[in-house]
Amino acid sequence: FQAINNAINYASKALDVTFVSTSRLAMIDHLYYSIKRYYDNSNIKNPLLWDLKTLYAKEFQVAAECIDIINKALNIQLSQDEGGFITLHFINVTYSEGERNLAVLEAEAVNDILNIIQRYYRITLDKESEKFRRLATHIRYYVRKAAKREASKSKNIYLFNYYKHMHSDAYEC
C-alpha cells in the first residue's frame, strides 16, 4: 500500500492534479490488482499502449515513473502495458469527461487509420521511427480537427486537386 501511495503522490505532484478519493481509490485498486496479476503471472496486454505512449507522452512518462517506484519498492517488474493502463487513469483525472471521451476516441481513430494504411499498402510501419511518429502526429491532429468539425476540403481547390491527381494512390487509401 505504501508503494502505491508513494506512486500516486508522485503523480499528483508531477501532473499538478489532486486525486480525489474516488480517483485515488481507483488507482489503488488498479495497482493492487496489477501487482496481484504480476505474482499470478497473468499480465494483460494493452492494445492502446503505443497510442497512449505517443499521444499522451507526459502522462505516460509519469505512469512509467510510478511503475518504477512500485517495481523498486516491491522488487518486481510490472510491464509497460500497466503504464498504459495507468496513463488512462491520469487522463481520467486531468481531463474533463468530454476530453476523456475524445482522448479514447482519438487514440482508437489514429490506430484504425494507421492499420488501414498498413493493410492498403501491405506494409508494417516501424512504430519506433521518426517518420512514423510524424505520420501519427499529423493523423492525430487531423482526427482532432475532424472531431471538432474543423476539417474541411482544402480551401485551395487547385492545391487539393493537384495532390489528389499527383498522389492518387495515397488519396485512394
Side-chain angles (χ1 to χ4, degrees):
F1 178 76
Q2 190 57 49
I4 292 170
N5 198 45
N6 290 344
I8 293 171
N9 289 339
Y10 167 79
S12 181
K13 289 177 187 161
L15 295 171
D16 193 28
V17 296
T18 301
F19 286 86
V20 295
S21 58
T22 53
S23 58
R24 182 174 284 272
L25 185 58
M27 284 284 297
I28 291 168
D29 183 64
H30 177 88
L31 290 168
Y32 169 78
Y33 281 103
S34 297
I35 295 164
K36 188 171 177 358
R37 281 193 308 275
Y38 171 82
Y39 285 115
D40 292 343
N41 200 25
S42 60
N43 295 322
I44 299 173
K45 286 290 180 194
N46 188 330
L48 295 176
L49 180 64
W50 180 88
D51 304 284
L52 294 167
K53 192 176 185 179
T54 303
L55 301 176
Y56 300 94
K58 179 181 179 183
E59 291 86 352
F60 185 84
Q61 182 58 43
V62 172
E65 294 294 330
C66 288
I67 293 292
D68 284 345
I69 291 168
I70 293 167
N71 285 344
K72 287 176 185 169
L74 302 177
N75 197 27
I76 62 175
Q77 195 60 44
L78 295 178
S79 70
Q80 270 197 333
D81 290 289
E82 289 300 336
F85 293 125
I86 293 168
T87 300
L88 289 171
H89 282 281
F90 294 162
I91 290 169
N92 282 334
V93 173
T94 56
Y95 294 88
S96 70
E97 184 178 350
E99 290 171 322
R100 284 192 305 267
N101 292 338
L102 183 59
V104 172
L105 290 174
E106 181 180 286
E108 289 173 345
V110 169
N111 194 41
D112 289 346
I113 292 168
L114 290 168
N115 285 332
I116 289 168
I117 291 169
Q118 290 182 104
R119 279 194 310 270
Y120 183 86
Y121 288 108
R122 294 185 176 113
I123 59 171
T124 300
L125 297 169
D126 177 5
K127 292 185 174 184
E128 300 303 318
S129 73
E130 181 62 31
K131 288 180 181 179
F132 181 84
R133 283 191 287 278
R134 288 184 65 224
L135 173 64
T137 298
H138 284 286
I139 292 170
R140 175 183 174 203
Y141 286 112
Y142 178 78
V143 167
R144 274 192 184 170
K145 285 180 133 189
K148 293 178 181 178
R149 304 207 189 285
E150 294 173 9
S152 64
K153 278 191 173 178
S154 172
K155 292 179 180 168
N156 184 335
I157 196 70
Y158 170 78
L159 193 59
F160 174 78
N161 286 330
Y162 172 79
Y163 280 109
K164 181 180 171 182
H165 175 71
M166 292 304 291
H167 302 283
S168 59
D169 196 43
Y171 179 79
E172 288 299 316
C173 176

